[in-house]
Amino acid sequence: MFLYSESLGFFLVQLTLMNLCSFSCLCKKKKKKQPFRILSEIVVNEANFVRKCIGAESCQDDLWGKLVCTNFKVSFISHNSLPRQCTHRLLGEHDIPLACVEQVVTVNDVKGKQKILGSNQKLKFNPTELILYCKDFRIIRFRFDEAGPESAKKVCLAIAHYSHPADPQLLFGFEYVGKRYHGSAGEQVNGVDPGGGMQTPLFDCSSDWDREIKRTGASEWRVCTINQGYFISPSLPEFFVVPVSLADQDLKQYACFFYSQRIPLWCWNHSSGSALVRMSNISDPQQQRKVEQRISSAITKSHPLRSDVFKSDLDKTLPNIQDIQAALLKLRQICVIDPFEESEEKWLSSLEMINDLLYSVWVCTENEDRDLSCVISCLVQLMCDPHCRSLHGFQGLIQKEWVMAGHRFLDRCNHLKKNDKEESPVFLLFLDCAWQLWNQYPAAFEFTDVYLTVLGDSMWVPIFSTFLFNCPRQRAENSRDFASSKSIHLGQDQALRFPPVWDWSQQFSLKDQTLFNNPLYVGKIATCVQNGTVKTFTHRRSKKNYSSTLRGLPSAFRNGSIGPNDTLARRNSLVLRLRSDLSQVREQQETPSERFIRDFFSRPVDLQGLLLPQLLPSHLSVWKLYFLRWVPEAQIPQGGPITTFHKLSVLTDEIEMLQNQLKQYKGAGGTPNNLHVEPSKMYFKSSSTPHQPPAPPEYLSSSFPFSPVGNLCRPGILGTPLSKFLNGAKIWLSTETLANETF
């Protein structure tokens, strides 16, 4: 490997040049290492002799190689590999999807110049350095000390241009789908085969909705087809569920009174008959009372006891999408930018304040019913319905309440980077909320936090229909136009059928997909035998958790938020604050909802029943695997939750192996046989040697299966504090900051 150090004087400079010549000759003799490319991916520009910075303080561990820009990703090709445990089928070990690149910053440290590059912009200086700020919290830095100045400039401009597509059809997913599923003769199957083994419903046909109605026992609800061809509402799906008592003609009449013609949508039914319904606000004040009465009456008739409708309208009092974006930027600065080692107490205090800001938006709705109402409808079902806590149930929940309900993924992810005001991590907020519930009740979920993290990362791999469009109609219209422009014969399909993200085989091998399986999961049929009696698993909460969760709480804390006159106490002083208010709370009369919560937290939890989150700041944790995985200082070698996961996986695998052996023994009448054995569901396997459990692999760390090596998240880039790169209100690095910044 070629190393370069500026501090060793003239002699080592000469030696460096000699090594460079030797390195060039060696590269000519060796077979060139080509960039890993997928179908329809083309190389746009590249630069040789580029240095990828691994350490912020020293260059001795840096990697030398080729920086490549394709129409899909930024790739770095090096003969020196970093430790890697899992293989992504679409991305190499040094690859960054273009959709994940948030800012492209070029620097010339000799002239003291720097510039944020956008699409079709000119660069008047030769860059000596390139810094990529990524949406998944990574900061990647490349140096061009030995690269040709023109090739360095061209590759920087190419990355800036292709990471800012001007039109949705310029996103890589269109080229990928067009070539993968459509040959020149049009003989290939369009998109993912519905019968190809994928068990997640897409809710793009009436049969998926019929099955969901039957599953939840919603007998007084029906599938409505009035929006076929998106005739009524442009942002609703073609099929959705409405009360049986509402006629199609009534729905067509009422649609014009709702924002964006988004008439009420059925989400889910409880076993008691209660229904969860989401709707946009009524835009015509004169018709509001009449329309609300008619809709409420129909919903009431759907309940077996004709119970009244409870309506929550909180869009005037809760944070908007800009507030959520601001909270994420602050969290990013604390997790990635602010010094980790200077003041741990200050760092934890800042993080605690951000926690409170993020989780105060759990209960809300908005005019168009396309953002935070997606969060609420999913969280209600996640807490109430154990089916939604299974892997396929959770995926179907997102498909139903986010994708088909018209969440603006294209705008909120800002894939086209056109409007920063529309960008907001609403879906990431939901994943964080889901992780909080998972963290408090891990045995109730079939999937792991690795799965949630990978799902969040998949937003930046723009080939899946799940996170690519604002609504089903936009997907259909853009894919039809693209197919027409490329002379792609669609056959019976009306549009290109993009693969959903739920087809995980497109990204990971079957082996790596086992990282999604939770060894702690307690399903419906999970039982144990104790003293000859079959018992079900239950999760018991300690009295300490119960007392610190509910009793003695100020009223402002009971919904998990802090009032305007409250201050957030440090963890060591929280008990004192609760004790001071204890006498006042006991004097207040207990409401039915408070009594219900008190009863819930006083009994063992049914993991197949209702799950209520504990909302005190002391109970909310940082999703470390997502927010801190790229921070080298936060990495714990051979430590963290992964060590527990490893031991549980090995134990679960051993139990499965013994169960399979028992089945074989019984099936052969007491003699072992060669019956079919199901493959293990665990990533870590048990040892073949009895009584010798396998030791944890040396590569395990708290960031597994991700590696923070090569990601710069702390001060120390050639004397330039990274904290200065976050002065912009909405972006990582503002233009005003660049104009005033000097090296």
Side-chain angles (χ1 to χ4, degrees), residues 650-667:
V650 169
L651 180 60
T652 302
D653 181 70
E654 185 174 358
I655 292 174
E656 290 180 354
M657 182 176 63
L658 293 174
Q659 288 176 336
N660 286 329
Q661 291 177 355
L662 184 60
K663 288 180 182 179
Q664 292 182 8
Y665 187 81
K666 289 183 177 180

Side-chain angles (χ1 to χ4, degrees), residues 297-436:
S297 176
I299 296 175
T300 298
K301 291 179 181 178
S302 70
H303 194 279
L305 301 179
R306 300 297 189 263
S307 298
D308 293 335
V309 174
F310 175 78
K311 180 184 176 183
S312 296
D313 187 6
L314 304 174
D315 56 325
K316 296 181 181 179
T317 58
L318 292 177
N320 54 33
I321 59 172
Q322 286 79 22
D323 296 324
I324 300 174
Q325 176 71 358
L328 180 74
L329 291 177
K330 185 63 178 177
L331 180 64
R332 175 187 288 165
Q333 179 169 345
I334 292 174
C335 290
V336 178
I337 303 298
D338 286 351
F340 199 87
E341 65 280 355
E342 286 186 3
S343 174
E344 183 179 355
E345 182 70 16
K346 180 181 177 182
W347 189 87
L348 291 173
S349 178
S350 300
L351 197 60
E352 194 173 69
M353 294 298 293
I354 291 297
N355 266 346
D356 183 70
L357 176 59
L358 279 175
Y359 303 120
S360 65
V361 296
W362 273 37
V363 182
C364 49
T365 184
E366 63 282 314
N367 284 342
E368 287 192 311
D369 179 45
R370 301 178 67 179
D371 284 310
L372 291 168
S373 56
C374 302
V375 178
I376 298 311
S377 61
C378 280
L379 289 179
V380 170
Q381 295 173 68
L382 204 58
M383 290 187 290
C384 297
D385 190 347
H387 171 75
C388 298
R389 302 192 286 266
S390 67
L391 182 63
H392 294 295
F394 185 74
Q395 294 178 166
L397 179 67
I398 295 173
Q399 187 71 25
K400 173 167 61 89
E401 301 295 340
W402 291 82
V403 181
M404 300 311 295
H407 177 64
R408 303 176 188 269
F409 278 109
L410 184 67
D411 294 340
R412 298 297 178 252
C413 295
N414 204 9
H415 286 317
L416 303 183
K417 299 179 177 65
K418 284 186 175 181
N419 192 346
D420 291 337
K421 293 183 179 179
E422 292 292 326
E423 183 177 4
S424 184
V426 183
F427 184 69
L428 181 60
L429 173 65
F430 162 68
L431 292 181
D432 200 356
C433 294
W435 181 87
Q436 295 293 333

Side-chain angles (χ1 to χ4, degrees), residues 204-320:
D204 57 354
C205 58
S206 60
S207 58
D208 286 346
W209 290 101
D210 279 326
R211 281 190 287 269
E212 185 69 2
I213 289 175
K214 292 178 182 178
R215 186 189 72 82
T216 59
S219 58
E220 296 299 318
W221 297 79
R222 66 180 178 88
V223 179
C224 179
T225 60
I226 63 172
N227 202 41
Q228 280 190 292
Y230 309 102
F231 177 74
I232 299 297
S233 174
S235 61
L236 287 180
E238 291 188 285
F239 306 96
F240 50 88
V241 176
V242 297
V244 170
S245 59
L246 272 181
D248 286 352
Q249 192 60 36
D250 293 334
L251 292 171
K252 293 177 182 179
Q253 178 184 351
Y254 298 148
C256 62
F257 300 129
F258 291 90
Y259 279 102
S260 301
Q261 297 80 48
R262 290 181 62 88
I263 53 183
L265 296 177
W266 174 86
C267 300
W268 174 75
N269 250 53
H270 189 262
S271 57
S272 65
S274 300
L276 177 64
V277 180
R278 53 188 288 184
M279 57 183 281
S280 63
N281 289 339
I282 297 174
S283 58
D284 189 346
Q286 296 181 351
Q287 299 291 333
Q288 181 171 358
R289 184 173 182 181
K290 174 185 175 181
V291 175
E292 281 187 351
Q293 285 181 344
R294 182 68 183 92
I295 297 296
S296 297
S297 176
I299 296 175
T300 298
K301 291 179 181 178
S302 70
H303 194 279
L305 301 179
R306 300 297 189 263
S307 298
D308 293 335
V309 174
F310 175 78
K311 180 184 176 183
S312 296
D313 187 6
L314 304 174
D315 56 325
K316 296 181 181 179
T317 58
L318 292 177
N320 54 33

Side-chain angles (χ1 to χ4, degrees), residues 122-138:
K122 295 182 179 180
L123 188 58
K124 295 182 179 180
F125 59 85
N126 293 325
T128 59
E129 182 177 313
L130 170 68
I131 304 175
L132 299 180
Y133 293 84
C134 304
K135 294 182 178 180
D136 62 358
F137 282 35
R138 279 185 291 177

